[in-house]
Amino acid sequence: MNEQILEKQYESLGISKEVYAFGKKIEDSLKERFAAIDATVEYNQMKVIRAMQKNKVSAECFNISTGYGYSDLGRDTLEQVYADCFHGEDALVRPQITCGTHALALALMSNLRPGDELLSPVGKPYDTLEEVIGIRPSKGSLAEYGVTYKQVDLLADGGFDYEGIRAALNEKTKLVTIQRSKGYQTRPTLSVTRIGELISFIKGIKPDVICMVDNCYGEFVEEKEPLEAGADMIVGSLIKNPGGGLAPIGGYIVGKKECVENAAYRLTSPGLGKEVGASLGVIQSFYQGFFQAPTVVGGALKGAIFAANIYERLGFPVIPNGTESRHDIIQAVTLNSPEGLIAFCEGIQAAAPVDSYVTPEPWDMPGYDSKVIMAAGAFVQGSSIELSADGPLKPPYAVYFQGGLTWYHAKLGILMSLQKLYEQNLVNKDLLC
Ligand SMILES: *Cc1c(COP(=O)(O)O)cnc(C)c1O
């Protein structure tokens, strides 16, 4: 196709010639990296198809079950597909798991007993887990049930504090929680290889400890998943990577049979476990979303790398940087001013297929000590595998952005964010050419 036709198309959406040309230059410089991502997508697509074929996914699997949901073929088969694809003995994949935090709380609360201790050897866990664990006192926390918690922070260079971990492991340590993604921190995201190194160190000291990985934002970014590196249990949300943008709700736990069984008895009831839990009308979207997920994650990764390179070139600090290898789909960009942060989010919003006409505004959010601005125009509310951005309105004015169901939408979102900064003179225009 004629390049000018494409440029005109972007122009009709509000992208100026200068911004388009700059984006094209950056995109052209990323051909090799994008090809490597495509290869990972291809590998993971085959993995998903193989798991679906092996388990004889059929049209019958898409039937709707209601009530108790006894003998729900679609639900049971999907759990086997997840287990095979992620190399677990068993899986729990349910719409009754309401979100990622719920899945993680379920995995922890069902596998820990009073008197046990939980260890995080990778520093502070994701914000919402603080209340689950009881780091911040909360009703129903693990602390209330007599489960204690220890934490060993990462070293200043991002490495594991092996001596600290050795000292923290004791006869009470029952479960170790390892967060793969940096989440909203500035530490590096852990590769599956590094997770494997950490687990073998821990199991070398205490072989029977359960190693759980918070896999949120990590699924399908690499060819391997943490169960292949020695983890006992991986946990995540279906409105992130593995739902492929189609699952409207849900969470999963995959791993050792006993870990999954414990979780099932806690989710439903002792004695009932996995036998109940109607899939209502959502199961087809779980299958189709999982089928699409490798491609969707590839698009989101391209978007993250594109953004890193665009903003790095314009002098803004970015984490990860433009050339680093990727282990999750989150990109942080430090915009240095409230105007910059707001303009960035306005651009993401303006590029959305849904609610593009809305202007995001900073607001006071419970649990935060400053205003927060969020941009999202998603088909599934709160879905962060769809293009979305947010950041607290305080120095250094960093935006965390992730997702994009297609690479082209992610590209438009990033170009639109730059367009807004460009129009408000918040970028050095000399660096654009
Ligand atoms: C999103 C996320 C969670 C929590 O998931 P919710 O669905 O928001 O409850 C936990 N851990 C990590 C690393 C996450 O990215």
Side-chain angles (χ1 to χ4, degrees):
M1 185 181 47
N2 184 324
E3 184 64 34
Q4 271 146 14
I5 298 180
L6 191 56
E7 189 182 325
K8 276 255 166 334
Q9 189 74 305
Y10 276 98
E11 211 180 309
S12 74
L13 284 153
I15 304 295
S16 66
K17 277 190 166 41
E18 295 77 9
V19 167
Y20 178 79
F22 180 66
K24 173 147 178 39
K25 196 171 76 177
I26 298 290
E27 187 182 347
D28 286 345
S29 75
L30 294 171
K31 287 218 162 77
E32 262 175 53
R33 289 201 74 190
F34 282 14
I37 290 171
D38 288 337
T40 303
V41 169
E42 188 172 359
Y43 180 88
N44 285 330
Q45 180 74 82
M46 297 309 127
K47 194 158 78 178
V48 172
I49 291 174
R50 194 180 53 202
M52 290 189 173
Q53 292 181 347
K54 180 180 165 207
N55 290 291
K56 299 198 159 60
V57 173
S58 64
E60 261 185 288
C61 291
F62 307 146
N63 287 347
I64 294 170
S65 73
T66 58
Y68 293 106
Y70 292 130
S71 321
D72 182 330
L73 176 74
R75 177 197 67 207
D76 295 346
T77 304
L78 180 70
E79 289 179 337
Q80 207 45 55
V81 168
Y82 263 69
D84 282 338
C85 192
F86 289 157
H87 293 255
E89 293 170 4
D90 203 354
L92 192 64
V93 185
R94 302 282 168 128
Q96 286 82 11
I97 301 176
T98 55
C99 61
T101 304
H102 186 190
L104 288 157
L106 182 60
L108 291 172
M109 294 183 159
S110 60
N111 281 287
L112 288 160
R113 296 287 179 274
D116 289 342
E117 189 160 276
L118 168 68
L119 169 68
S120 171
V122 296
K124 192 183 88 64
Y126 197 76
D127 269 12
T128 55
L129 286 192
E130 290 185 12
E131 284 180 277
V132 172
I133 296 167
I135 301 171
R136 272 187 284 144
S138 177
K139 282 216 190 308
S141 69
L142 285 165
E144 271 198 352
Y145 284 90
V147 174
T148 54
Y149 172 70
K150 269 205 170 70
Q151 177 176 316
V152 178
D153 290 336
L154 293 173
L155 299 172
D157 65 358
F160 301 125
D161 178 3
Y162 284 117
E163 282 326 299
I165 295 168
R166 186 192 299 281
L169 284 164
N170 60 64
E171 68 289 344
K172 285 172 61 184
T173 315
K174 173 77 176 297
L175 198 153
V176 172
T177 179
I178 300 167
Q179 187 178 310
R180 180 172 175 180
S181 167
K182 65 183 159 310
Y184 299 129
Q185 293 173 272
T186 47
R187 72 154 168 95
T189 285
L190 303 176
S191 66
V192 172
T193 302
R194 287 195 69 209
I195 290 172
E197 288 162 6
L198 178 59
I199 292 174
S200 36
F201 176 79
I202 290 167
K203 296 228 171 191
I205 298 166
K206 194 159 193 215
D208 60 345
V209 79
I210 300 169
C211 290
M212 177 186 99
V213 174
D214 175 351
N215 211 25
C216 283
Y217 286 132
E219 299 91 349
F220 297 122
V221 172
E222 300 182 46
E223 288 85 23
K224 277 192 174 181
E225 298 293 338
L227 293 176
E228 295 165 78
D232 300 297
M233 183 166 49
I234 57 173
V235 182
S237 162
L238 296 200
I239 63 167
K240 293 180 180 171
N241 304 16
L246 293 178
I249 192 169
Y252 76 84
I253 297 171
V254 184
K256 291 264 158 67
K257 195 158 195 61
E258 195 188 339
C259 294
V260 173
E261 199 168 44
N262 281 335
Y265 286 135
R266 172 92 192 195
L267 175 66
T268 64
S269 155
L272 299 182
K274 291 179 71 177
E275 304 297 319
V276 295
S279 60
L280 306 170
V282 301
I283 202 79
Q284 187 183 345
S285 72
F286 282 18
Y287 278 101
Q288 204 171 345
F290 198 58
F291 174 76
Q292 307 262 42
T295 307
V296 169
V297 169
L301 269 177
K302 288 179 184 175
I305 291 168
F306 183 62
N309 281 276
I310 290 247
Y311 283 99
E312 191 170 61
R313 199 74 60 92
L314 295 172
F316 297 93
V318 294
I319 300 176
N321 71 32
T323 52
E324 256 172 83
S325 70
R326 299 277 161 162
H327 308 291
D328 68 13
I329 62 167
I330 301 178
Q331 181 64 47
V333 181
T334 297
L335 293 151
N336 303 323
S337 72
E339 295 79 18
L341 174 58
I342 293 169
F344 185 102
C345 289
E346 280 173 1
I348 296 294
Q349 189 76 41
V354 181
D355 291 338
S356 63
Y357 55 90
V358 169
T359 307
E361 278 183 31
W363 58 297
D364 288 304
M365 240 179 86
Y368 288 82
D369 57 1
S370 66
K371 285 188 187 316
V372 175
I373 183 162
M374 295 188 168
F379 295 101
V380 172
Q381 287 168 38
S383 163
S384 46
I385 186 62
E386 299 190 48
L387 191 64
S388 47
D390 47 81
L393 214 70
K394 64 178 180 190
Y397 301 101
V399 73
Y400 294 87
F401 115 97
Q402 66 271 313
L405 294 184
T406 70
W407 147 238
Y408 299 111
H409 177 223
K411 176 180 172 180
L412 174 67
I414 294 147
L415 291 179
M416 195 64 90
S417 72
L418 178 56
Q419 184 69 37
K420 299 285 179 191
L421 286 151
Y422 183 85
E423 285 167 6
Q424 296 174 46
N425 290 313
L426 295 165
V427 287
N428 182 345
K429 292 188 177 173
D430 294 340
L431 294 174
L432 237 69
C433 32

